Amino acid sequence: MSSAYYVGKRLSFKGRLCTVRYIGQVDGTKSDKEYLGVEWDDLKGKHDGIHQGKRYFTCSSPSPTAASFILSSSRTADPEQSFVDAVREKYGTPATTDDSDEIIISGKTVEEVGFDKIRAQQARLHELKIVLVDGQRVSIAERSTLEIRTVCPKIEELDLSRNLFDSLAEVAKICTELESLKSLRLNGNRFSDIFKDSRLVDDKPHASAFSKVTDLSMDEMLLDWASVIGVVAQFQQLKTLEVSMNGFKRLDQSLQVEALTSLTLEYNAFQTLADVFVLRNLQSLEVLRLKGNEISKTDNEPYELSNLPSFGKQLCYVDISYNAVTEWKFVNDLDHIFPGMTALRLANNPIYKTSKDVGSFTSMDDSYMLTLARIRKLETLNFSKITAADRTNSEMFYLSRITKEISETPESKEADVITRHPRYAELCEKHGAPTIVRKEAGSDTPNYMEGRLIKFTFYLPQDSLEGQTKEIKMERRIPKSFDVYRVKGLVGKMFGVRPLSIRLIWETGEWDSVAGYEEWESEDEGEDIDEETAAVREMCKWVKREVEIEDCTRPVGNLVDGLEATLRLEMR
């Protein structure tokens, strides 16, 4: 039975893929029986290669439940097939009795399959340009020479993911016959030969097979980075590479491919940007996706930012979403690490939920503005296009937050605060230096925030929001020193709307005369008018005074009068 299996062989049992890691007897079981130690692709096993304290084999996956023992004589593997068989099975249409003709030979009635149908089927396969045979138990290229070239030679996009190949060499046999191939997906396969072949980088034995491939995907293949380098060396025209979910922790060598413009390294195990610094040598790289890692800082402390390397200015898009960023220092560093970056995705990091650096009233819009303001060249943030008004508002908001931080810090510590905000001097020059007013020690005068609160009544008129059937009114006491951006952040949370989507209209309670009403009086002199008409005309002489609180960094106490104010919310 053992002749049918070997270590490294790929198998499928009832659709579950696995790799043979061990063949032999297992202590504590029937000693005369042969067992297969397998590593399951879905990681739903019972152990990691250790049975009753004894290690029989080591898995490629770090999962503690990736492996199992299977009695080889009691389980039958799913049938394997060639690449051509898989293409015929998925894209060919079997001939049926409807396509046959009845003929008589020597007095016997027989059926002849419709040759027109067969020719049409072969022609259809011959013209295929996109082929997806993922999960089809493919283990070999073809069963006879030139079969691929005869059946389906025009394929341009090919998905061979999650099959039974145990070597890159077998995939190369397929691709050698596909002269028009441009895109190749190998996700979820397990190649044993690439870990053993030291000639991959220097000799490039499969380069001719992949000479025109520009897009390659190798997600979830349990590769180490050295193996990725070896495989990629065979694809000298590669422009787009995806190697997500492989468990990479730190890259120690750069890829040897000059044309690469897009690299995806999502859902690996990087913890710092320094873990991928070797990629800065990719001179054509324009897009870097690091989504779903564990990145929380630029490098391990302590480090001097000026001593860290920078990526090339051609790198314009970076995705660091769904990581572990909690500090604004990381965002400040991005300008240095990615000097050419114009588009960033930073959503779904902890910094967008809580941060000790941005105060207790931080909202999603606050985080968005603070990110935008810290990176001077950004044109797109979290897929949103940044307008000139967005940038101005965000930078002024950021400047107001820095000003507040400075005003609450002793003058002797002011330089430390400014050091934490690299763009402060630049923003002062661009928007004007703010006035710093510090609270004196022991002071408790009403000139300071603690002593002066304004009672605001905010209300949102009926039908302002979808499904809103009545007016919503709320009250809140707010320090006069709060700037407009901060007030809007509070109001946004109170009413469950985006702060920058609302207008604040201060209803002063005062009336202004309407220009021109004197003309009505002169025309009416000497005329007798009824009381109702007189009352209407009297009302038309006056209009309620309303003032919009424009977005700015000025304290709200300077924009309204008194210690009570009513503000109407209007949706933009």
Side-chain angles (χ1 to χ4, degrees):
M1 193 71 180
S2 61
S3 60
Y5 302 108
Y6 54 86
V7 174
K9 182 174 177 58
R10 297 278 287 159
L11 298 171
S12 173
F13 292 100
K14 295 183 179 180
R16 292 183 66 197
L17 303 183
C18 64
T19 305
V20 177
R21 300 296 186 197
Y22 170 81
I23 303 175
Q25 298 176 349
V26 177
D27 295 346
T29 63
K30 299 176 182 179
S31 59
D32 59 337
K33 298 295 184 179
E34 178 184 80
Y35 283 84
L36 301 179
V38 301
E39 179 179 1
W40 298 102
D41 287 16
D42 61 13
L43 307 180
K44 294 180 180 179
K46 296 181 178 180
H47 52 77
D48 64 350
I50 296 179
H51 178 67
Q52 294 184 355
K54 178 179 178 180
R55 178 167 290 284
Y56 288 84
F57 58 92
T58 301
C59 295
S60 297
S61 168
S63 171
T65 60
S68 297
F69 284 111
I70 296 175
L71 189 59
S72 60
S73 60
S74 65
R75 297 283 292 271
T76 301
D78 301 332
E80 303 173 15
Q81 61 180 341
S82 72
F83 167 67
V84 176
D85 291 340
V87 172
R88 282 176 172 151
E89 180 181 276
K90 185 166 185 177
Y91 295 96
T93 304
T96 66
T97 54
D98 295 337
D99 304 313
S100 60
D101 299 319
E102 186 178 278
I103 60 177
I104 298 176
I105 300 178
S106 301
K108 296 182 179 180
T109 300
V110 298
E111 287 186 348
E112 179 183 36
V113 175
F115 288 107
D116 288 342
K117 186 69 174 181
I118 294 176
R119 282 193 292 270
Q121 173 185 321
Q122 291 176 337
R124 183 166 58 252
L125 295 178
H126 198 270
E127 295 299 320
L128 283 174
K129 293 186 178 182
I130 301 176
V131 170
L132 312 177
V133 288
D134 51 312
Q136 298 296 306
R137 309 180 313 283
V138 179
S139 61
I140 59 174
E142 54 191 5
R143 300 190 184 280
S144 60
T145 306
L146 299 180
E147 191 177 14
I148 295 174
R149 196 176 290 269
T150 301
V151 175
C152 48
K154 297 184 179 181
I155 297 174
E156 296 179 4
E157 298 181 28
L158 177 60
D159 190 342
L160 294 174
S161 301
R162 285 168 277 280
N163 275 294
L164 301 180
F165 301 108
D166 57 27
S167 70
L168 178 64
E170 197 65 33
V171 173
K173 290 179 183 179
I174 297 174
C175 298
T176 296
E177 305 299 322
L178 304 175
E179 296 180 351
S180 300
L181 187 64
K182 297 178 182 178
S183 176
L184 178 63
R185 290 185 174 275
L186 300 173
N187 304 331
N189 284 292
R190 305 285 189 267
F191 298 146
S192 300
D193 60 334
I194 60 178
F195 295 99
K196 305 171 183 176
D197 195 344
S198 59
R199 304 175 301 113
L200 285 175
V201 174
D202 296 331
D203 297 347
K204 300 179 177 59
H206 307 306
S208 60
F210 308 115
S211 60
K212 294 184 179 180
V213 176
T214 58
D215 303 321
L216 175 63
S217 181
M218 297 192 297
D219 296 341
E220 207 174 359
M221 291 180 64
L222 301 182
L223 299 171
D224 59 30
W225 186 244
S227 299
V228 172
I229 292 174
V231 173
V232 170
Q234 317 306 305
F235 297 78
Q236 288 303 295
Q237 299 303 315
L238 200 61
K239 293 183 178 180
T240 301
L241 173 63
E242 298 178 7
V243 277
S244 300
M245 295 179 286
N246 281 289
F248 304 134
K249 294 183 177 180
R250 190 177 182 89
L251 310 184
D252 54 5
Q253 301 177 63
S254 186
L255 297 167
Q256 297 185 14
V257 55
E258 296 180 357
L260 193 68
T261 59
S262 177
L263 177 58
T264 301
L265 289 161
E266 297 178 349
Y267 298 102
N268 284 291
F270 304 120
Q271 295 185 345
T272 71
L273 289 179
D275 293 335
V276 299
F277 275 171
V278 294
L279 300 176
R280 70 185 184 280
N281 295 325
L282 297 172
Q283 298 300 312
S284 299
L285 190 65
E286 298 175 0
V287 175
L288 178 61
R289 295 184 174 93
L290 298 171
K291 174 184 176 181
N293 281 276
E294 303 165 16
I295 298 172
S296 62
K297 49 192 174 182
T298 306
D299 198 357
N300 292 317
E301 298 284 358
Y303 67 87
E304 185 65 41
L305 183 63
S306 60
N307 294 332
L308 296 183
S310 299
F311 282 75
K313 292 187 176 181
Q314 81 289 338
L315 179 57
C316 56
Y317 176 77
V318 180
D319 185 346
I320 319 177
S321 60
Y322 292 92
N323 274 276
V325 179
T326 60
E327 298 181 357
W328 288 107
K329 184 178 187 300
F330 178 90
V331 180
N332 290 337
D333 292 349
L334 294 179
D335 246 352
H336 173 81
I337 304 300
F338 305 110
M341 181 175 65
T342 58
L344 170 67
R345 189 181 181 205
L346 193 65
N348 295 287
N349 275 279
I351 198 170
Y352 270 49
K353 298 177 181 178
T354 57
S355 174
K356 63 183 180 181
D357 296 335
V358 295
S360 59
F361 295 105
T362 298
S363 67
M364 180 64 75
D365 282 270
D366 293 347
S367 297
Y368 181 91
M369 289 191 292
L370 290 170
T371 302
L372 191 165
R374 290 166 188 261
I375 306 174
R376 59 174 59 84
K377 292 184 180 180
L378 272 190
E379 298 175 2
T380 303
L381 177 57
N382 297 334
F383 301 129
S384 295
K385 191 70 176 178
I386 297 170
T387 65
D390 290 337
R391 175 156 293 283
T392 298
N393 289 337
S394 297
E395 290 179 348
M396 293 184 68
F397 173 67
Y398 179 36
L399 189 58
S400 74
R401 303 306 294 271
I402 302 174
T403 303
K404 179 178 181 296
E405 187 176 349
I406 293 175
S407 67
E408 296 175 350
T409 302
E411 190 169 359
S412 60
K413 301 290 185 180
E414 180 174 326
D416 295 337
V417 174
I418 294 176
T419 300
R420 293 197 294 269
H421 302 282
R423 294 202 68 203
Y424 178 66
E426 178 185 347
L427 294 178
C428 287
E429 182 176 351
K430 182 176 181 180
H431 300 291
T435 301
I436 307 298
V437 180
R438 286 187 171 84
K439 178 181 176 181
E440 298 176 3
S443 174
D444 192 28
T445 69
N447 292 326
Y448 295 102
M449 181 177 69
E450 296 89 337
R452 298 296 296 273
L453 297 176
I454 300 177
K455 179 182 177 181
F456 282 100
T457 299
F458 300 100
Y459 76 93
L460 188 65
Q462 179 181 341
D463 297 326
S464 296
L465 300 175
E466 184 176 354
Q468 180 193 346
T469 59
K470 59 182 181 180
E471 178 182 284
I472 302 174
K473 181 177 292 187
M474 298 186 189
E475 294 183 354
R476 185 72 175 262
R477 293 183 181 275
I478 297 176
K480 294 182 69 175
S481 60
F482 275 26
D483 60 54
V484 176
Y485 290 109
R486 199 169 182 184
V487 172
K488 280 198 169 185
L490 278 172
V491 175
K493 285 186 176 181
M494 292 166 60
F495 287 85
V497 296
R498 294 180 64 250
L500 294 182
S501 68
I502 58 178
R503 299 170 61 212
L504 297 179
I505 309 299
W506 172 34
E507 297 182 349
T508 65
E510 299 179 357
W511 295 80
D512 287 332
S513 59
V514 178
Y517 78 91
E518 296 89 349
E519 297 178 4
W520 302 343
E521 292 182 342
S522 61
E523 292 175 0
D524 294 338
E525 288 181 0
E527 294 184 11
D528 293 329
I529 56 176
D530 56 52
E531 293 183 1
E532 182 177 353
T533 301
V536 169
R537 291 190 175 182
E538 182 65 26
M539 288 295 297
C540 291
K541 295 179 182 180
W542 306 93
V543 63
K544 288 184 177 181
R545 181 188 300 171
E546 296 181 345
V547 179
E548 180 175 358
I549 308 298
E550 300 281 356
D551 294 346
C552 65
T553 59
R554 294 178 61 190
V556 70
N558 294 348
L559 302 175
V560 299
D561 295 334
L563 298 179
E564 293 188 12
T566 299
L567 270 63
R568 183 177 74 251
L569 277 62
E570 292 185 358
M571 306 306 297
R572 293 185 186 276

